[in-house]
Amino acid sequence: MGLEVESRSSDSPYIERVWRSRSHDVDRMTSVATAHWDLVFWEHRGQVKVAVQGPESKAGPAPVPDDATFFGISFALGTSMPHLPITQRLDGFAEIPGATRRSFWLKGSAWRLPGYDNAEGFVRRMVREGVLVRDPIVAAR
């Protein structure tokens, strides 16, 4: 079966795309090189995890937990979370600890878990609270 993936574009200047997927009978995938980074949420065996992943300088194998659900926001070029330096996640990820089925902690505040249909509202809050910023010079290119 593999990975079932669905994605959509967004009208937010901060978001490149929003995606969700489900894994079945797969334990590995090839992660593609990308200049974008993602905020990823997944549930596997009743445990919820959150991580900031990428960008990735090259393609490579990535583990996939079987029978898991995933949701992610891929951010537009020039968008960043300054409190999480890129060096912590280039070609990897930085897990955000303490996630539950309802919330997670980000930069000292509790955040409700977003979903595929409300990603834009979640990102607007991130911008309002100064967690997410956009470099106007990079964004203009």
Side-chain angles (χ1 to χ4, degrees):
M1 286 208 159
L3 286 171
E4 301 168 13
V5 180
E6 177 182 5
S7 69
R8 65 174 175 82
S9 59
S10 174
D11 59 0
S12 170
Y14 295 89
I15 300 173
E16 178 68 20
R17 70 184 181 102
V18 178
W19 58 272
R20 61 184 166 189
S21 67
R22 179 174 215 74
S23 63
H24 298 287
D25 298 326
V26 64
D27 63 355
R28 188 168 292 283
M29 66 175 231
T30 300
S31 182
V32 299
T34 180
H36 300 279
W37 61 278
D38 292 46
L39 182 57
V40 182
F41 305 84
W42 70 98
E43 184 173 348
H44 179 242
R45 296 183 181 160
Q47 297 236 347
V48 174
K49 302 281 185 171
V50 180
V52 179
Q53 179 178 338
E56 297 184 53
S57 64
K58 59 187 177 286
V64 176
D66 189 33
D67 198 29
T69 57
F70 303 87
F71 159 69
I73 302 169
S74 294
F75 289 92
L77 296 178
T79 304
S80 67
M81 286 197 287
H83 72 284
L84 289 177
I86 194 168
T87 55
Q88 289 183 358
R89 46 194 168 78
L90 178 62
D91 293 326
F93 67 95
E95 190 170 330
I96 299 172
T100 70
R101 288 181 176 261
R102 293 184 183 195
S103 64
F104 70 104
W105 285 91
L106 182 61
K107 200 177 174 190
S109 297
W111 294 71
R112 288 191 73 136
L113 288 176
Y116 187 79
D117 297 321
N118 69 350
E120 286 78 8
F122 175 79
V123 167
R124 281 192 298 274
R125 179 180 172 205
M126 292 177 78
V127 172
R128 265 193 324 270
E129 297 198 18
V131 173
L132 191 68
V133 298
R134 191 163 178 248
D135 183 321
I137 295 172
V138 174
R141 294 185 164 218

